[in-house]
């Protein structure tokens, strides 16, 4: 299995809702990442997990809460989002965070906040 | 921090050659990646350069000059399916930071 799987593919949520995005990989990768991508913009790093521990938080608002239950799974819990949070949320994984490792990306969750 | 610059859009004919440039400034450098991204899809890996010079992979080649903070991606024998956004991304400080991306439109 050489894929990163993200669910759901599309999500519409209200500003008072609580929802979660899920990401799964079975490549034995020990680093996982959340990126946010707005239309016609590059992906922007949000969080980095290394060996199931949060190692980088790029000053992301607390309404986004990441969780790594085990080495294969990465969640992003969403609460009280704003319409400007609507974007494509990409998950990625790599063998490690050391700089020689390339990333494998999932196909993303397209989130719309109404 | 990292500052990565790419031009935004270009149109080219099927069968042609296209060069996409990327310049970067970064406090830590451990390689440069090129990704292809079709609209609404995940970025897919194309190439990786960490040493100066040219890396060739089929129709795609990538060049790096670390002293100039410069890379380019060369796409040869363009096909319609090559219409996509091409992103350069710099690895450093345990982060992968992307440039704005360059949209390539291939026309018959």
């Amino acid at each position: 299995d050489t894929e990163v799987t993200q669910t759901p593919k599309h999500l519409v949520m209200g500003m008072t809702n609580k929802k979660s995005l899920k990401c799964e990989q079975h490549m034995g990768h020990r680093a996982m990442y959340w990126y946010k991508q707005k239309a016609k913009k590059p992906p922007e790093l949000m969080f980095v997990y290394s060996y199931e521990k949060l190692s980088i938080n790029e000053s992301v608002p607390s309404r986004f809460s990441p969780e790594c239950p085990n080495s294969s799974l990465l969640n992003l819990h969403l609460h009280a989002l704003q319409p400007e949070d609507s974007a494509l949320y990409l998950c990625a994984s790599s063998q490690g965070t050391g700089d020689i490792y390339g990333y494998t990306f999932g196909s993303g969750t397209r989130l719309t906040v109404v | 921090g990292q500052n990565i610059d790419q031009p935004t859009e270009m149109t080219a004919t099927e069968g042609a050659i296209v060069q996409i440039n990327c310049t970067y400034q970064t406090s830590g450098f451990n390689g440069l990646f090129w990704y292809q991204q079709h609209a609404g899809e995940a970025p897919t890996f194309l190439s990786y350069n960490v040493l100066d010079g040219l890396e060739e992979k089929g129709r795609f080649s990538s060049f790096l000059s670390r002293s100039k903070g410069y890379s380019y991606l060369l796409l040869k024998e363009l096909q319609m399916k090559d219409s996509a956004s091409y992103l350069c991304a710099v690895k450093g400080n345990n982060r992968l930071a992307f440039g704005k991306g360059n949209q390539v439109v291939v026309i018959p």
Side-chain angles (χ1 to χ4, degrees), chain A residues 33-45:
Chain A
Y33 311 84
W34 280 115
Y35 279 81
K36 173 182 176 180
Q37 187 176 25
K38 304 279 276 184
K40 297 189 187 301
K41 299 283 187 187
E44 295 177 351
L45 182 65

Side-chain angles (χ1 to χ4, degrees), chain B residues 32-95:
Chain B
L32 187 144
F33 293 80
W34 283 95
Y35 282 85
Q36 180 192 62
Q37 188 177 27
H38 289 99
E41 296 182 13
T44 54
F45 169 80
L46 290 178
S47 70
Y48 170 62
N49 294 71
V50 67
L51 299 175
D52 290 351
L54 190 68
E55 293 282 340
E56 297 190 77
K57 250 189 177 183
R59 294 188 299 115
F60 296 164
S61 304
S62 58
F63 171 84
L64 176 68
S65 168
R66 288 171 296 170
S67 61
K68 294 190 170 112
Y70 168 71
S71 174
Y72 69 73
L73 179 70
L74 201 64
L75 286 65
K76 297 178 234 179
E77 299 168 22
L78 275 179
Q79 301 175 7
M80 298 299 290
K81 66 179 180 180
D82 297 331
S83 291
S85 181
Y86 291 85
L87 302 157
C88 72
V90 172
K91 194 85 185 288
N93 303 315
N94 294 324
R95 289 165 172 79

